[in-house]
Amino acid sequence: YILLNIVINKIEMKIQDHEIQYDKYTKRLSHLIWKIIYTVWLIFNILIVCEIMWIDVSLLMAWISLWIWFAMETMIWNVISGFFILTNKKFKIWDFVEVLWNINTRWTIEEINLKHTIIRWIDQRRLVIPNSIMSSTTMKTLKTEDLIRCDLNLSLPRHVNVEQVKQLITDTTNSYENT
C-alpha cells in the first residue's frame, strides 16, 4: 500500500507540474485512476492472503466474476447490441424509421452509440432507447419509400377560418424541398 501510494502521488505530481493542465476534471480523473489501482491492488492482496490460508482462489474468483456479471448485465447487453446495430447497417443516423410498438410512431434516428440510440419525433421530442431494446424492436426503415404519409390532427377554435389554416399548412409543407 505504501509503495502504491508513493507511485500514484508521483504520477499526480507530474500531472500537476507540467505535463497536463491540472483542472477539476483532471483532478477527478487522477483520483478515479488512483481508486481503481488501489482497488485492484487490494483485491490482489486479498487473493494472496486467501491462497496462503489454503482457500480455493479459483472458486472465489468464479463467485466474484458471477457477481460482476449480474451487476453489469444490462450494460453488457447494451454494448453487445450497440455493436451489432453499428455493424449491421440496417439503419443509420438521420434515417426516418417507423417503430412498431403498441402504436406505430415515426422517428428520425439522431445518434447511435454503444450504449443507447437517440431518436427524435416529428415535434422534436427526443427519446433515448437502450440498445438491447432497440435491437429487439421491430422497425420499418422508410428511406426506400417513394412517399411517406404523415397524419396531423388539429384542434381549432370556432372563429378561425379553416380554409386559411389549410392553405397555411400546405404552403409551409411545400416550402421544404423534401415534401
Side-chain angles (χ1 to χ4, degrees):
Y1 172 75
I2 295 170
L3 178 65
L4 183 64
N5 199 11
I6 291 171
V7 169
I8 295 298
N9 284 335
K10 283 192 178 192
I11 292 172
E12 191 171 8
M13 291 305 284
K14 281 193 175 197
I15 289 173
Q16 286 177 355
D17 289 342
H18 50 37
E19 292 184 13
I20 299 175
Q21 182 183 1
Y22 194 72
D23 56 359
K24 66 179 180 179
Y25 300 110
T26 309
K27 185 175 182 179
R28 286 182 185 170
L29 182 64
S30 64
H31 187 69
L32 176 68
I33 291 171
W34 184 86
K35 289 268 191 187
I36 291 170
I37 292 173
Y38 175 73
T39 305
V40 169
W41 183 260
L42 189 65
I43 291 171
F44 180 71
N45 284 332
I46 290 171
L47 292 176
I48 288 174
V49 169
C50 288
E51 189 68 36
I52 291 171
M53 293 174 44
W54 297 89
I55 297 174
D56 190 10
V57 175
S58 61
L59 183 63
L60 186 63
M61 289 301 292
W63 278 106
I64 290 172
S65 58
L66 187 65
W67 177 76
I68 289 172
W69 171 260
F70 284 133
M72 300 178 67
E73 180 181 11
T74 55
M75 187 182 77
I76 291 170
W77 282 119
N78 283 334
V79 169
I80 291 171
S81 299
F83 176 75
F84 285 122
I85 287 172
L86 288 171
T87 58
N88 199 356
K89 303 286 185 195
K90 284 191 177 180
F91 53 86
K92 59 183 187 287
I93 296 176
W94 302 119
D95 277 354
F96 193 60
V97 295
E98 185 173 359
V99 182
L100 305 173
W101 286 326
N102 293 343
I103 57 168
N104 296 345
T105 55
R106 293 184 176 126
W107 302 82
T108 302
I109 297 176
E110 189 172 276
E111 180 184 335
I112 302 172
N113 61 34
L114 284 178
K115 294 185 299 184
H116 58 266
T117 300
I118 299 175
I119 56 180
R120 188 176 290 273
W121 201 48
I122 251 171
D123 68 353
Q124 301 303 316
R125 287 183 291 168
R126 294 176 70 198
L127 182 64
V128 178
I129 303 175
N131 282 333
S132 58
I133 295 172
M134 190 74 174
S135 64
S136 62
T137 301
T138 305
M139 272 195 262
K140 179 180 177 185
T141 306
L142 300 174
K143 66 182 174 186
T144 58
E145 302 288 326
D146 291 335
L147 298 172
I148 300 172
R149 180 186 168 123
C150 184
D151 297 326
L152 180 65
N153 294 325
L154 293 176
S155 298
L156 300 173
R158 289 184 183 182
H159 69 277
V160 174
N161 186 348
V162 177
E163 292 303 318
Q164 285 180 343
V165 172
K166 283 182 181 178
Q167 187 61 40
L168 182 65
I169 291 172
T170 304
D171 292 344
T172 305
T173 306
N174 290 334
S175 68
Y176 292 103
E177 62 183 57
N178 293 331
T179 57

PDB file of all heavy atoms in Angstrom, residues 87-115:
ATOM      1  N   THR A  87     -22.642  -2.321 -36.636  1.00  0.00           N
ATOM      2  CA  THR A  87     -22.020  -3.092 -37.720  1.00  0.00           C
ATOM      3  C   THR A  87     -23.034  -3.643 -38.709  1.00  0.00           C
ATOM      4  O   THR A  87     -22.674  -3.983 -39.824  1.00  0.00           O
ATOM      5  CB  THR A  87     -21.187  -4.262 -37.150  1.00  0.00           C
ATOM      6  OG1 THR A  87     -22.037  -5.094 -36.347  1.00  0.00           O
ATOM      7  CG2 THR A  87     -20.033  -3.740 -36.334  1.00  0.00           C
ATOM      8  N   ASN A  88     -24.303  -3.734 -38.321  1.00  0.00           N
ATOM      9  CA  ASN A  88     -25.324  -4.311 -39.184  1.00  0.00           C
ATOM     10  C   ASN A  88     -25.714  -3.382 -40.326  1.00  0.00           C
ATOM     11  O   ASN A  88     -26.037  -3.826 -41.421  1.00  0.00           O
ATOM     12  CB  ASN A  88     -26.555  -4.681 -38.356  1.00  0.00           C
ATOM     13  CG  ASN A  88     -27.432  -5.666 -39.057  1.00  0.00           C
ATOM     14  OD1 ASN A  88     -27.194  -6.052 -40.189  1.00  0.00           O
ATOM     15  ND2 ASN A  88     -28.472  -6.077 -38.377  1.00  0.00           N
ATOM     16  N   LYS A  89     -25.756  -2.095 -40.098  1.00  0.00           N
ATOM     17  CA  LYS A  89     -26.050  -1.064 -41.101  1.00  0.00           C
ATOM     18  C   LYS A  89     -27.461  -1.172 -41.691  1.00  0.00           C
ATOM     19  O   LYS A  89     -27.698  -0.750 -42.807  1.00  0.00           O
ATOM     20  CB  LYS A  89     -25.037  -1.094 -42.244  1.00  0.00           C
ATOM     21  CG  LYS A  89     -23.608  -0.931 -41.837  1.00  0.00           C
ATOM     22  CD  LYS A  89     -23.306   0.466 -41.457  1.00  0.00           C
ATOM     23  CE  LYS A  89     -21.815   0.600 -41.178  1.00  0.00           C
ATOM     24  NZ  LYS A  89     -21.464   1.779 -40.503  1.00  0.00           N
ATOM     25  N   LYS A  90     -28.416  -1.755 -40.957  1.00  0.00           N
ATOM     26  CA  LYS A  90     -29.793  -1.778 -41.461  1.00  0.00           C
ATOM     27  C   LYS A  90     -30.392  -0.383 -41.413  1.00  0.00           C
ATOM     28  O   LYS A  90     -31.224  -0.038 -42.225  1.00  0.00           O
ATOM     29  CB  LYS A  90     -30.649  -2.748 -40.656  1.00  0.00           C
ATOM     30  CG  LYS A  90     -30.387  -4.173 -41.012  1.00  0.00           C
ATOM     31  CD  LYS A  90     -31.410  -5.075 -40.406  1.00  0.00           C
ATOM     32  CE  LYS A  90     -31.160  -6.494 -40.855  1.00  0.00           C
ATOM     33  NZ  LYS A  90     -32.110  -7.430 -40.296  1.00  0.00           N
ATOM     34  N   PHE A  91     -30.012   0.392 -40.432  1.00  0.00           N
ATOM     35  CA  PHE A  91     -30.407   1.790 -40.379  1.00  0.00           C
ATOM     36  C   PHE A  91     -29.242   2.585 -39.857  1.00  0.00           C
ATOM     37  O   PHE A  91     -28.354   2.057 -39.198  1.00  0.00           O
ATOM     38  CB  PHE A  91     -31.675   2.007 -39.534  1.00  0.00           C
ATOM     39  CG  PHE A  91     -31.605   1.419 -38.162  1.00  0.00           C
ATOM     40  CD1 PHE A  91     -31.044   2.111 -37.120  1.00  0.00           C
ATOM     41  CD2 PHE A  91     -32.128   0.166 -37.921  1.00  0.00           C
ATOM     42  CE1 PHE A  91     -30.992   1.576 -35.849  1.00  0.00           C
ATOM     43  CE2 PHE A  91     -32.082  -0.377 -36.658  1.00  0.00           C
ATOM     44  CZ  PHE A  91     -31.513   0.327 -35.622  1.00  0.00           C
ATOM     45  N   LYS A  92     -29.225   3.860 -40.207  1.00  0.00           N
ATOM     46  CA  LYS A  92     -28.115   4.709 -39.809  1.00  0.00           C
ATOM     47  C   LYS A  92     -28.654   6.064 -39.354  1.00  0.00           C
ATOM     48  O   LYS A  92     -29.862   6.297 -39.367  1.00  0.00           O
ATOM     49  CB  LYS A  92     -27.106   4.857 -40.943  1.00  0.00           C
ATOM     50  CG  LYS A  92     -27.664   5.433 -42.207  1.00  0.00           C
ATOM     51  CD  LYS A  92     -26.592   5.454 -43.281  1.00  0.00           C
ATOM     52  CE  LYS A  92     -27.030   6.171 -44.501  1.00  0.00           C
ATOM     53  NZ  LYS A  92     -27.962   5.572 -45.362  1.00  0.00           N
ATOM     54  N   ILE A  93     -27.775   6.941 -38.968  1.00  0.00           N
ATOM     55  CA  ILE A  93     -28.166   8.248 -38.454  1.00  0.00           C
ATOM     56  C   ILE A  93     -28.914   9.013 -39.535  1.00  0.00           C
ATOM     57  O   ILE A  93     -28.555   8.982 -40.709  1.00  0.00           O
ATOM     58  CB  ILE A  93     -26.924   9.020 -37.971  1.00  0.00           C
ATOM     59  CG1 ILE A  93     -26.309   8.274 -36.798  1.00  0.00           C
ATOM     60  CG2 ILE A  93     -27.260  10.445 -37.573  1.00  0.00           C
ATOM     61  CD1 ILE A  93     -25.028   8.862 -36.279  1.00  0.00           C
ATOM     62  N   TRP A  94     -29.955   9.708 -39.139  1.00  0.00           N
ATOM     63  CA  TRP A  94     -30.872  10.522 -39.939  1.00  0.00           C
ATOM     64  C   TRP A  94     -31.802   9.704 -40.816  1.00  0.00           C
ATOM     65  O   TRP A  94     -32.475  10.248 -41.679  1.00  0.00           O
ATOM     66  CB  TRP A  94     -30.137  11.587 -40.756  1.00  0.00           C
ATOM     67  CG  TRP A  94     -29.333  12.485 -39.897  1.00  0.00           C
ATOM     68  CD1 TRP A  94     -27.986  12.663 -39.935  1.00  0.00           C
ATOM     69  CD2 TRP A  94     -29.803  13.326 -38.834  1.00  0.00           C
ATOM     70  NE1 TRP A  94     -27.587  13.543 -38.965  1.00  0.00           N
ATOM     71  CE2 TRP A  94     -28.681  13.964 -38.265  1.00  0.00           C
ATOM     72  CE3 TRP A  94     -31.055  13.576 -38.284  1.00  0.00           C
ATOM     73  CZ2 TRP A  94     -28.787  14.846 -37.207  1.00  0.00           C
ATOM     74  CZ3 TRP A  94     -31.152  14.454 -37.220  1.00  0.00           C
ATOM     75  CH2 TRP A  94     -30.023  15.078 -36.708  1.00  0.00           C
ATOM     76  N   ASP A  95     -31.858   8.391 -40.612  1.00  0.00           N
ATOM     77  CA  ASP A  95     -32.876   7.597 -41.292  1.00  0.00           C
ATOM     78  C   ASP A  95     -34.222   7.872 -40.639  1.00  0.00           C
ATOM     79  O   ASP A  95     -34.325   8.083 -39.433  1.00  0.00           O
ATOM     80  CB  ASP A  95     -32.569   6.102 -41.188  1.00  0.00           C
ATOM     81  CG  ASP A  95     -31.590   5.640 -42.241  1.00  0.00           C
ATOM     82  OD1 ASP A  95     -31.250   6.454 -43.109  1.00  0.00           O
ATOM     83  OD2 ASP A  95     -31.173   4.480 -42.184  1.00  0.00           O
ATOM     84  N   PHE A  96     -35.250   7.846 -41.442  1.00  0.00           N
ATOM     85  CA  PHE A  96     -36.614   8.020 -40.953  1.00  0.00           C
ATOM     86  C   PHE A  96     -37.197   6.623 -40.794  1.00  0.00           C
ATOM     87  O   PHE A  96     -37.285   5.874 -41.763  1.00  0.00           O
ATOM     88  CB  PHE A  96     -37.416   8.860 -41.946  1.00  0.00           C
ATOM     89  CG  PHE A  96     -38.724   9.353 -41.419  1.00  0.00           C
ATOM     90  CD1 PHE A  96     -38.777  10.172 -40.302  1.00  0.00           C
ATOM     91  CD2 PHE A  96     -39.906   8.998 -42.036  1.00  0.00           C
ATOM     92  CE1 PHE A  96     -39.984  10.642 -39.821  1.00  0.00           C
ATOM     93  CE2 PHE A  96     -41.119   9.463 -41.564  1.00  0.00           C
ATOM     94  CZ  PHE A  96     -41.153  10.284 -40.447  1.00  0.00           C
ATOM     95  N   VAL A  97     -37.539   6.234 -39.574  1.00  0.00           N
ATOM     96  CA  VAL A  97     -37.997   4.881 -39.305  1.00  0.00           C
ATOM     97  C   VAL A  97     -39.374   4.904 -38.663  1.00  0.00           C
ATOM     98  O   VAL A  97     -39.755   5.874 -38.005  1.00  0.00           O
ATOM     99  CB  VAL A  97     -37.017   4.110 -38.391  1.00  0.00           C
ATOM    100  CG1 VAL A  97     -35.688   3.891 -39.063  1.00  0.00           C
ATOM    101  CG2 VAL A  97     -36.835   4.798 -37.064  1.00  0.00           C
ATOM    102  N   GLU A  98     -40.107   3.830 -38.883  1.00  0.00           N
ATOM    103  CA  GLU A  98     -41.385   3.643 -38.215  1.00  0.00           C
ATOM    104  C   GLU A  98     -41.186   2.546 -37.174  1.00  0.00           C
ATOM    105  O   GLU A  98     -40.864   1.406 -37.515  1.00  0.00           O
ATOM    106  CB  GLU A  98     -42.460   3.243 -39.224  1.00  0.00           C
ATOM    107  CG  GLU A  98     -43.826   3.147 -38.622  1.00  0.00           C
ATOM    108  CD  GLU A  98     -44.897   2.911 -39.682  1.00  0.00           C
ATOM    109  OE1 GLU A  98     -44.566   2.850 -40.870  1.00  0.00           O
ATOM    110  OE2 GLU A  98     -46.058   2.800 -39.284  1.00  0.00           O
ATOM    111  N   VAL A  99     -41.342   2.912 -35.922  1.00  0.00           N
ATOM    112  CA  VAL A  99     -41.161   1.967 -34.828  1.00  0.00           C
ATOM    113  C   VAL A  99     -42.505   1.314 -34.559  1.00  0.00           C
ATOM    114  O   VAL A  99     -43.500   1.991 -34.314  1.00  0.00           O
ATOM    115  CB  VAL A  99     -40.627   2.680 -33.569  1.00  0.00           C
ATOM    116  CG1 VAL A  99     -40.385   1.690 -32.458  1.00  0.00           C
ATOM    117  CG2 VAL A  99     -39.340   3.426 -33.885  1.00  0.00           C
ATOM    118  N   LEU A 100     -42.541  -0.005 -34.612  1.00  0.00           N
ATOM    119  CA  LEU A 100     -43.797  -0.733 -34.485  1.00  0.00           C
ATOM    120  C   LEU A 100     -43.948  -1.241 -33.057  1.00  0.00           C
ATOM    121  O   LEU A 100     -43.658  -2.389 -32.745  1.00  0.00           O
ATOM    122  CB  LEU A 100     -43.833  -1.888 -35.495  1.00  0.00           C
ATOM    123  CG  LEU A 100     -43.592  -1.482 -36.942  1.00  0.00           C
ATOM    124  CD1 LEU A 100     -43.466  -2.698 -37.831  1.00  0.00           C
ATOM    125  CD2 LEU A 100     -44.699  -0.578 -37.430  1.00  0.00           C
ATOM    126  N   TRP A 101     -44.385  -0.352 -32.167  1.00  0.00           N
ATOM    127  CA  TRP A 101     -44.690  -0.717 -30.789  1.00  0.00           C
ATOM    128  C   TRP A 101     -46.194  -0.885 -30.684  1.00  0.00           C
ATOM    129  O   TRP A 101     -46.837  -1.302 -31.629  1.00  0.00           O
ATOM    130  CB  TRP A 101     -44.197   0.356 -29.819  1.00  0.00           C
ATOM    131  CG  TRP A 101     -42.727   0.369 -29.636  1.00  0.00           C
ATOM    132  CD1 TRP A 101     -41.895  -0.707 -29.649  1.00  0.00           C
ATOM    133  CD2 TRP A 101     -41.893   1.514 -29.440  1.00  0.00           C
ATOM    134  NE1 TRP A 101     -40.601  -0.314 -29.458  1.00  0.00           N
ATOM    135  CE2 TRP A 101     -40.575   1.046 -29.331  1.00  0.00           C
ATOM    136  CE3 TRP A 101     -42.133   2.866 -29.338  1.00  0.00           C
ATOM    137  CZ2 TRP A 101     -39.502   1.892 -29.105  1.00  0.00           C
ATOM    138  CZ3 TRP A 101     -41.067   3.705 -29.122  1.00  0.00           C
ATOM    139  CH2 TRP A 101     -39.769   3.218 -29.006  1.00  0.00           C
ATOM    140  N   ASN A 102     -46.767  -0.551 -29.539  1.00  0.00           N
ATOM    141  CA  ASN A 102     -48.228  -0.625 -29.391  1.00  0.00           C
ATOM    142  C   ASN A 102     -48.924   0.274 -30.414  1.00  0.00           C
ATOM    143  O   ASN A 102     -49.935  -0.077 -30.977  1.00  0.00           O
ATOM    144  CB  ASN A 102     -48.651  -0.220 -27.983  1.00  0.00           C
ATOM    145  CG  ASN A 102     -48.174  -1.223 -26.962  1.00  0.00           C
ATOM    146  OD1 ASN A 102     -47.825  -2.341 -27.306  1.00  0.00           O
ATOM    147  ND2 ASN A 102     -48.143  -0.824 -25.717  1.00  0.00           N
ATOM    148  N   ILE A 103     -48.363   1.459 -30.596  1.00  0.00           N
ATOM    149  CA  ILE A 103     -48.847   2.345 -31.657  1.00  0.00           C
ATOM    150  C   ILE A 103     -47.677   2.590 -32.598  1.00  0.00           C
ATOM    151  O   ILE A 103     -46.522   2.631 -32.170  1.00  0.00           O
ATOM    152  CB  ILE A 103     -49.368   3.681 -31.080  1.00  0.00           C
ATOM    153  CG1 ILE A 103     -48.289   4.380 -30.269  1.00  0.00           C
ATOM    154  CG2 ILE A 103     -50.605   3.477 -30.260  1.00  0.00           C
ATOM    155  CD1 ILE A 103     -48.643   5.808 -29.920  1.00  0.00           C
ATOM    156  N   ASN A 104     -47.968   2.713 -33.858  1.00  0.00           N
ATOM    157  CA  ASN A 104     -46.901   2.949 -34.829  1.00  0.00           C
ATOM    158  C   ASN A 104     -46.504   4.419 -34.788  1.00  0.00           C
ATOM    159  O   ASN A 104     -47.339   5.298 -34.962  1.00  0.00           O
ATOM    160  CB  ASN A 104     -47.358   2.564 -36.232  1.00  0.00           C
ATOM    161  CG  ASN A 104     -47.647   1.087 -36.330  1.00  0.00           C
ATOM    162  OD1 ASN A 104     -47.262   0.319 -35.459  1.00  0.00           O
ATOM    163  ND2 ASN A 104     -48.325   0.688 -37.378  1.00  0.00           N
ATOM    164  N   THR A 105     -45.258   4.670 -34.527  1.00  0.00           N
ATOM    165  CA  THR A 105     -44.757   6.037 -34.491  1.00  0.00           C
ATOM    166  C   THR A 105     -43.577   6.160 -35.438  1.00  0.00           C
ATOM    167  O   THR A 105     -42.848   5.202 -35.669  1.00  0.00           O
ATOM    168  CB  THR A 105     -44.309   6.429 -33.069  1.00  0.00           C
ATOM    169  OG1 THR A 105     -43.353   5.473 -32.608  1.00  0.00           O
ATOM    170  CG2 THR A 105     -45.476   6.463 -32.118  1.00  0.00           C
ATOM    171  N   ARG A 106     -43.399   7.358 -35.959  1.00  0.00           N
ATOM    172  CA  ARG A 106     -42.304   7.610 -36.906  1.00  0.00           C
ATOM    173  C   ARG A 106     -41.283   8.511 -36.244  1.00  0.00           C
ATOM    174  O   ARG A 106     -41.623   9.543 -35.666  1.00  0.00           O
ATOM    175  CB  ARG A 106     -42.860   8.244 -38.174  1.00  0.00           C
ATOM    176  CG  ARG A 106     -43.737   7.259 -38.911  1.00  0.00           C
ATOM    177  CD  ARG A 106     -44.231   7.814 -40.200  1.00  0.00           C
ATOM    178  NE  ARG A 106     -44.983   6.781 -40.882  1.00  0.00           N
ATOM    179  CZ  ARG A 106     -46.207   6.940 -41.309  1.00  0.00           C
ATOM    180  NH1 ARG A 106     -46.818   8.081 -41.146  1.00  0.00           N
ATOM    181  NH2 ARG A 106     -46.825   5.962 -41.919  1.00  0.00           N
ATOM    182  N   TRP A 107     -40.034   8.117 -36.359  1.00  0.00           N
ATOM    183  CA  TRP A 107     -38.942   8.809 -35.692  1.00  0.00           C
ATOM    184  C   TRP A 107     -37.782   8.981 -36.653  1.00  0.00           C
ATOM    185  O   TRP A 107     -37.632   8.241 -37.615  1.00  0.00           O
ATOM    186  CB  TRP A 107     -38.451   8.001 -34.496  1.00  0.00           C
ATOM    187  CG  TRP A 107     -39.494   7.712 -33.471  1.00  0.00           C
ATOM    188  CD1 TRP A 107     -40.423   6.708 -33.495  1.00  0.00           C
ATOM    189  CD2 TRP A 107     -39.725   8.421 -32.270  1.00  0.00           C
ATOM    190  NE1 TRP A 107     -41.202   6.757 -32.372  1.00  0.00           N
ATOM    191  CE2 TRP A 107     -40.792   7.798 -31.601  1.00  0.00           C
ATOM    192  CE3 TRP A 107     -39.137   9.533 -31.678  1.00  0.00           C
ATOM    193  CZ2 TRP A 107     -41.276   8.241 -30.385  1.00  0.00           C
ATOM    194  CZ3 TRP A 107     -39.616   9.961 -30.463  1.00  0.00           C
ATOM    195  CH2 TRP A 107     -40.675   9.327 -29.831  1.00  0.00           C
ATOM    196  N   THR A 108     -36.931   9.934 -36.329  1.00  0.00           N
ATOM    197  CA  THR A 108     -35.664  10.100 -37.031  1.00  0.00           C
ATOM    198  C   THR A 108     -34.555   9.670 -36.083  1.00  0.00           C
ATOM    199  O   THR A 108     -34.520  10.089 -34.930  1.00  0.00           O
ATOM    200  CB  THR A 108     -35.450  11.566 -37.431  1.00  0.00           C
ATOM    201  OG1 THR A 108     -36.538  11.977 -38.250  1.00  0.00           O
ATOM    202  CG2 THR A 108     -34.152  11.736 -38.196  1.00  0.00           C
ATOM    203  N   ILE A 109     -33.663   8.823 -36.560  1.00  0.00           N
ATOM    204  CA  ILE A 109     -32.553   8.366 -35.728  1.00  0.00           C
ATOM    205  C   ILE A 109     -31.521   9.487 -35.668  1.00  0.00           C
ATOM    206  O   ILE A 109     -31.005   9.916 -36.697  1.00  0.00           O
ATOM    207  CB  ILE A 109     -31.948   7.075 -36.280  1.00  0.00           C
ATOM    208  CG1 ILE A 109     -32.998   5.975 -36.237  1.00  0.00           C
ATOM    209  CG2 ILE A 109     -30.707   6.690 -35.506  1.00  0.00           C
ATOM    210  CD1 ILE A 109     -32.571   4.680 -36.830  1.00  0.00           C
ATOM    211  N   GLU A 110     -31.244   9.960 -34.472  1.00  0.00           N
ATOM    212  CA  GLU A 110     -30.352  11.091 -34.296  1.00  0.00           C
ATOM    213  C   GLU A 110     -28.939  10.672 -33.903  1.00  0.00           C
ATOM    214  O   GLU A 110     -27.959  11.278 -34.321  1.00  0.00           O
ATOM    215  CB  GLU A 110     -30.929  12.026 -33.227  1.00  0.00           C
ATOM    216  CG  GLU A 110     -30.204  13.334 -33.110  1.00  0.00           C
ATOM    217  CD  GLU A 110     -30.935  14.274 -32.186  1.00  0.00           C
ATOM    218  OE1 GLU A 110     -31.861  14.948 -32.649  1.00  0.00           O
ATOM    219  OE2 GLU A 110     -30.564  14.318 -31.002  1.00  0.00           O
ATOM    220  N   GLU A 111     -28.817   9.636 -33.082  1.00  0.00           N
ATOM    221  CA  GLU A 111     -27.492   9.214 -32.618  1.00  0.00           C
ATOM    222  C   GLU A 111     -27.524   7.733 -32.303  1.00  0.00           C
ATOM    223  O   GLU A 111     -28.486   7.223 -31.731  1.00  0.00           O
ATOM    224  CB  GLU A 111     -27.099  10.002 -31.365  1.00  0.00           C
ATOM    225  CG  GLU A 111     -25.757   9.636 -30.798  1.00  0.00           C
ATOM    226  CD  GLU A 111     -25.453  10.379 -29.511  1.00  0.00           C
ATOM    227  OE1 GLU A 111     -26.000  11.461 -29.283  1.00  0.00           O
ATOM    228  OE2 GLU A 111     -24.660   9.847 -28.727  1.00  0.00           O
ATOM    229  N   ILE A 112     -26.456   7.040 -32.683  1.00  0.00           N
ATOM    230  CA  ILE A 112     -26.292   5.628 -32.340  1.00  0.00           C
ATOM    231  C   ILE A 112     -24.913   5.485 -31.720  1.00  0.00           C
ATOM    232  O   ILE A 112     -23.911   5.863 -32.326  1.00  0.00           O
ATOM    233  CB  ILE A 112     -26.390   4.714 -33.582  1.00  0.00           C
ATOM    234  CG1 ILE A 112     -27.714   4.895 -34.303  1.00  0.00           C
ATOM    235  CG2 ILE A 112     -26.191   3.260 -33.185  1.00  0.00           C
ATOM    236  CD1 ILE A 112     -27.800   4.179 -35.631  1.00  0.00           C
ATOM    237  N   ASN A 113     -24.858   4.985 -30.494  1.00  0.00           N
ATOM    238  CA  ASN A 113     -23.570   4.666 -29.893  1.00  0.00           C
ATOM    239  C   ASN A 113     -23.657   3.290 -29.242  1.00  0.00           C
ATOM    240  O   ASN A 113     -24.653   2.593 -29.398  1.00  0.00           O
ATOM    241  CB  ASN A 113     -23.113   5.764 -28.912  1.00  0.00           C
ATOM    242  CG  ASN A 113     -24.061   5.961 -27.768  1.00  0.00           C
ATOM    243  OD1 ASN A 113     -24.691   5.029 -27.288  1.00  0.00           O
ATOM    244  ND2 ASN A 113     -24.174   7.198 -27.320  1.00  0.00           N
ATOM    245  N   LEU A 114     -22.647   2.880 -28.516  1.00  0.00           N
ATOM    246  CA  LEU A 114     -22.634   1.524 -27.984  1.00  0.00           C
ATOM    247  C   LEU A 114     -23.664   1.301 -26.890  1.00  0.00           C
ATOM    248  O   LEU A 114     -24.150   0.187 -26.727  1.00  0.00           O
ATOM    249  CB  LEU A 114     -21.241   1.179 -27.447  1.00  0.00           C
ATOM    250  CG  LEU A 114     -20.192   0.866 -28.497  1.00  0.00           C
ATOM    251  CD1 LEU A 114     -18.862   0.587 -27.847  1.00  0.00           C
ATOM    252  CD2 LEU A 114     -20.602  -0.310 -29.350  1.00  0.00           C
ATOM    253  N   LYS A 115     -24.027   2.331 -26.145  1.00  0.00           N
ATOM    254  CA  LYS A 115     -24.952   2.134 -25.024  1.00  0.00           C
ATOM    255  C   LYS A 115     -26.410   2.342 -25.399  1.00  0.00           C
ATOM    256  O   LYS A 115     -27.275   1.625 -24.928  1.00  0.00           O
ATOM    257  CB  LYS A 115     -24.603   3.077 -23.871  1.00  0.00           C
ATOM    258  CG  LYS A 115     -23.267   2.785 -23.236  1.00  0.00           C
ATOM    259  CD  LYS A 115     -23.042   3.660 -22.030  1.00  0.00           C
ATOM    260  CE  LYS A 115     -23.058   5.111 -22.440  1.00  0.00           C
ATOM    261  NZ  LYS A 115     -22.764   6.038 -21.378  1.00  0.00           N
TER     262      LYS A 115
END
